[in-house]
Amino acid sequence: MAKRDEYLARLRVFESDSAKRSLNREERAAESELLEKVKEADDQIRRHLEAAAAEEQAMRVTSPLQEMGTTRSLGRKVEARVNATPGELMARSIEMSRGITTAGTNKAFSPEEMARTFVDLLAPQSVVMESGVQRVQTGAETYAFPVIRSDFSAGFVGELDDLPTGGFGADPLKVTPKKIAAADLIANELMDDGGAAFLNPMAKSLMRSVALGFDREALIGTGSGKGFVGIANTPGIQTHAVKGGLKDLDPFVTAFGNLEAANAKATAIVMSPKAWTALMALRESSGSLKPLLSESAGSPTTGVQRSILGVPVWLSSFVPETDILAYEADQVFAVWRKDAGFQISDQFGFLKDGTAVRAIARAAIAVPNAAAVCKITVTT
């Protein structure tokens, strides 16, 4: 728009001059060139408007998401639904990137609405997001949480006495979302001929890679390199050491009690598949076939729900076998930058007749109240 206004301003100068005198050949040529540039700017604006209208209409199409597992429970009896499959999301990005060919878009166009849908579709692939942590979406490079260090001082006072003051203290906890990405060059034959049958699994694979990268850092990240500090390594979290391996559920009772003492409540447990297998092998009593985690006194072949003392259990291969995390999900925050999404470009693979695809997310984990997490460490 700014360039178009500039062209029009220069044309008005020619119009003003032509009213006073005849334009020479060079001036008329310059005037014709400006008219062509205004026409190109108008065509560019029209393509943007048409693409935006097509995107808005496509977002209204409802897809059979149950088959993809993108209709999910957030752990608090709230259902979240999104209106596009990963393949449809990527197909729209491809269509728009090929339709908008200006230097400004660099043929890699991913609008904010598409970025929001990308994060929604990413969540079911992430153990941390599925465990019910709160999601904060921001456009800022750094997001600040207010962390209360001490409470107000309250006391009984008489009428017209001075009210008690002081005691309250708070500091900002600054969180910078870090970039997590996956990319590759795909043959144009697959992109053009495969359709949704190819784009959907490819898009899901891209998202799964990004989700696993986020989970790894969110659970056990140390902050070294280009990552961020995860839940298990957040300074100030509570710990509980167990020696001799897991023999019963007492360590969880202790961990839950520690959380309650800090005005928190265990709503999620994350452990390794091997740790869960060890718990499944525990029996109700010596010589019994009934698993300790079985709900009823019925047959030992009855299925066991993945929960401990009523708290849901999530499994992740990133968590060491010796560590188990118990936390209140409402007090753990996943901070996402809103510019995450699919991006497409056929420029990188022009000489190879390929299309470059990438999925980028910018995210970090934050635990303002570190005491709302308790890490159980099991040793032999």
Side-chain angles (χ1 to χ4, degrees), residues 72-80:
R72 66 190 189 280
S73 170
L74 298 182
R76 287 165 285 184
K77 299 183 180 178
V78 177
E79 290 294 322

Short mmCIF file of all heavy atoms in Angstrom, two decimals, residues 72-80:
data_model
loop_
_atom_site.label_atom_id
_atom_site.label_comp_id
_atom_site.label_asym_id
_atom_site.label_seq_id
_atom_site.Cartn_x
_atom_site.Cartn_y
_atom_site.Cartn_z
N ARG A 72 -9.70 -34.05 21.53
CA ARG A 72 -8.97 -34.54 22.69
C ARG A 72 -9.58 -34.01 23.98
O ARG A 72 -10.23 -32.98 24.01
CB ARG A 72 -7.51 -34.10 22.62
CG ARG A 72 -7.35 -32.58 22.74
CD ARG A 72 -5.92 -32.18 22.43
NE ARG A 72 -5.68 -30.79 22.72
CZ ARG A 72 -6.02 -29.79 21.93
NH1 ARG A 72 -6.63 -30.05 20.79
NH2 ARG A 72 -5.76 -28.54 22.26
N SER A 73 -9.33 -34.71 25.06
CA SER A 73 -9.72 -34.24 26.38
C SER A 73 -8.54 -33.52 26.99
O SER A 73 -7.41 -33.97 26.92
CB SER A 73 -10.11 -35.42 27.28
OG SER A 73 -10.26 -35.00 28.61
N LEU A 74 -8.79 -32.36 27.59
CA LEU A 74 -7.71 -31.57 28.17
C LEU A 74 -7.47 -31.90 29.63
O LEU A 74 -6.77 -31.20 30.33
CB LEU A 74 -8.02 -30.08 28.01
CG LEU A 74 -8.14 -29.60 26.56
CD1 LEU A 74 -8.39 -28.11 26.54
CD2 LEU A 74 -6.91 -29.94 25.76
N GLY A 75 -8.09 -32.96 30.13
CA GLY A 75 -7.85 -33.37 31.51
C GLY A 75 -8.74 -32.66 32.50
O GLY A 75 -8.69 -32.92 33.68
N ARG A 76 -9.58 -31.70 32.04
CA ARG A 76 -10.48 -30.98 32.94
C ARG A 76 -11.89 -30.94 32.36
O ARG A 76 -12.60 -29.97 32.43
CB ARG A 76 -9.96 -29.55 33.15
CG ARG A 76 -8.73 -29.49 34.04
CD ARG A 76 -8.07 -28.16 33.95
NE ARG A 76 -7.34 -28.04 32.69
CZ ARG A 76 -6.59 -27.00 32.37
NH1 ARG A 76 -6.49 -26.00 33.20
NH2 ARG A 76 -5.97 -26.94 31.23
N LYS A 77 -12.27 -32.05 31.70
CA LYS A 77 -13.59 -32.22 31.14
C LYS A 77 -13.95 -31.11 30.15
O LYS A 77 -15.07 -30.62 30.09
CB LYS A 77 -14.65 -32.29 32.25
CG LYS A 77 -14.46 -33.46 33.20
CD LYS A 77 -15.55 -33.53 34.23
CE LYS A 77 -15.34 -34.72 35.16
NZ LYS A 77 -16.37 -34.80 36.20
N VAL A 78 -12.95 -30.68 29.37
CA VAL A 78 -13.18 -29.69 28.34
C VAL A 78 -12.74 -30.29 27.02
O VAL A 78 -11.62 -30.78 26.91
CB VAL A 78 -12.38 -28.39 28.62
CG1 VAL A 78 -12.59 -27.40 27.50
CG2 VAL A 78 -12.84 -27.78 29.95
N GLU A 79 -13.60 -30.25 26.03
CA GLU A 79 -13.25 -30.80 24.73
C GLU A 79 -12.80 -29.67 23.81
O GLU A 79 -13.41 -28.61 23.74
CB GLU A 79 -14.47 -31.50 24.11
CG GLU A 79 -14.84 -32.79 24.81
CD GLU A 79 -13.78 -33.86 24.66
OE1 GLU A 79 -13.19 -33.96 23.58
OE2 GLU A 79 -13.53 -34.59 25.62
N ALA A 80 -11.70 -29.87 23.10
CA ALA A 80 -11.23 -28.89 22.13
C ALA A 80 -11.29 -29.50 20.74
O ALA A 80 -10.86 -30.62 20.54
CB ALA A 80 -9.79 -28.47 22.46
#
